Amino acid sequence: MLTFELTAAEVRVGHSPMAETMASLVALQETDRFWMYASWRARVTPALAALGLRTLPAVVAHPHVWLPDFLTPVPAIGLPRPRLRDELAQIAATPLDLVAYEMDLAWKGSEPPPEISIFATDPARGLAETYAGQAMTLLPSAFAGPKVFALTSSPRGSALWYPPRGFGTLWNAPGPVPGAAVSALLGATRAAVLTLVAAPHSTGEVAATLGISPATASHHLTTLRDAGLVVGSRDGRQVRYDRSDLGDQVCGDA
């Protein structure tokens, strides 16, 4: 068991596209542990096969499912939401001796497939075919399932990947169905909005998910916020709305 002692000054929240990518590959292959992604797996598996990718799936296919740290870079301070191309550039700049060492460590004690063996003799080629007082970065991940994953040491500190609140509702389509009592109290559309924001959503995301206009979504969110049932927080140029404790109680989730 890992134990972290944290202070407020040492903790930040970020998002890593590469961490999500690697976690999703684990979820694709570990079907028993990550059973909650079955419908998503059924949709993306044919598309992944059509792409002909070999190296990345092989990285997560080893018996220990230990991901080399260089493939999941911790976001830099001041850049909590890097773009995928930024992280790919960082991975491409990883020192080759570190690439070879971490790939060997991941497969130690097991026979690696050809896609992995190349890292021992030609790490630059392997890296190209795939496409560092410690701070703590918290990385909510849609593909963490019920697990928490830890990276204990890198040039940018430690990191935890964890399932965010309401992650289970991400796989419901087209959206969660409000209860009859909530619908009777608030009206069907407003109840659907309140039910949906069990996980944070922007106005545009609420409108797209529920098939209503952005103006209608904004009106309902404002009314719910004024009633204390949702709270808004700024995320870059967007405001994302999340249910308050009172909203959870109204929906019966408290």
Side-chain angles (χ1 to χ4, degrees), residues 178-191:
V182 179
S183 295
L185 177 66
L186 300 176
T189 302
R190 192 165 296 165

Side-chain angles (χ1 to χ4, degrees), residues 134-245:
Q134 296 285 312
M136 168 66 73
T137 300
L138 304 178
L139 298 166
S141 169
F143 289 98
K147 306 292 184 180
V148 174
F149 300 95
L151 186 156
T152 58
S153 181
S154 83
R156 290 178 177 169
S158 302
L160 288 176
W161 287 266
Y162 63 94
R165 177 187 177 199
F167 83 99
T169 65
L170 295 175
W171 316 111
N172 298 333
V177 178
V182 179
S183 295
L185 177 66
L186 300 176
T189 302
R190 192 165 296 165
V193 173
L194 182 61
T195 303
L196 181 63
V197 295
H201 284 69
S202 67
T203 301
E205 290 168 340
V206 170
T209 301
L210 298 181
I212 57 180
S213 70
T216 299
S218 178
H219 169 70
H220 288 307
L221 286 166
T222 299
T223 301
L224 292 168
R225 184 194 62 194
D226 291 346
L229 299 177
V230 304
V231 293
S233 59
R234 183 158 293 281
D235 180 12
R237 296 182 178 179
Q238 292 183 327
V239 175
R240 304 184 74 81
Y241 294 90
D242 193 7
R243 278 204 315 239
S244 65
D245 291 340

Side-chain angles (χ1 to χ4, degrees), residues 2-234:
L2 295 174
T3 301
F4 292 95
E5 294 184 6
L6 308 176
T7 68
E10 295 174 333
V11 179
R12 56 199 175 103
V13 177
H15 176 74
S16 167
M18 273 305 300
E20 287 285 74
T21 298
M22 299 307 296
S24 70
L25 288 172
V26 175
L28 276 172
Q29 299 191 42
E30 295 285 314
T31 57
D32 290 340
R33 289 174 58 205
F34 297 94
W35 53 267
M36 68 290 297
Y37 305 129
S39 61
W40 169 80
R41 255 192 310 269
R43 295 196 304 271
V44 304
T45 298
L48 184 64
L51 291 174
L53 298 179
R54 298 172 58 191
T55 302
L56 274 178
V59 168
V60 301
H62 56 80
H64 311 299
V65 195
W66 182 82
L67 300 178
D69 291 344
F70 76 89
L71 288 174
T72 54
V74 177
I77 295 175
L79 187 64
R81 296 178 62 87
R83 296 168 295 182
L84 179 60
R85 65 186 181 189
D86 297 329
E87 293 196 319
L88 290 174
Q90 182 180 340
I91 291 171
T94 305
L96 296 182
D97 57 345
L98 180 61
V99 172
Y101 169 75
E102 291 193 354
M103 294 301 291
D104 176 68
L105 185 64
W107 280 84
K108 189 171 293 294
S110 303
E111 184 65 28
E115 294 87 352
I116 302 301
S117 299
I118 189 65
F119 284 91
T121 57
D122 192 350
R125 178 183 167 190
L127 191 58
E129 292 180 356
T130 303
Y131 345 23
Q134 296 285 312
M136 168 66 73
T137 300
L138 304 178
L139 298 166
S141 169
F143 289 98
K147 306 292 184 180
V148 174
F149 300 95
L151 186 156
T152 58
S153 181
S154 83
R156 290 178 177 169
S158 302
L160 288 176
W161 287 266
Y162 63 94
R165 177 187 177 199
F167 83 99
T169 65
L170 295 175
W171 316 111
N172 298 333
V177 178
V182 179
S183 295
L185 177 66
L186 300 176
T189 302
R190 192 165 296 165
V193 173
L194 182 61
T195 303
L196 181 63
V197 295
H201 284 69
S202 67
T203 301
E205 290 168 340
V206 170
T209 301
L210 298 181
I212 57 180
S213 70
T216 299
S218 178
H219 169 70
H220 288 307
L221 286 166
T222 299
T223 301
L224 292 168
R225 184 194 62 194
D226 291 346
L229 299 177
V230 304
V231 293
S233 59
R234 183 158 293 281

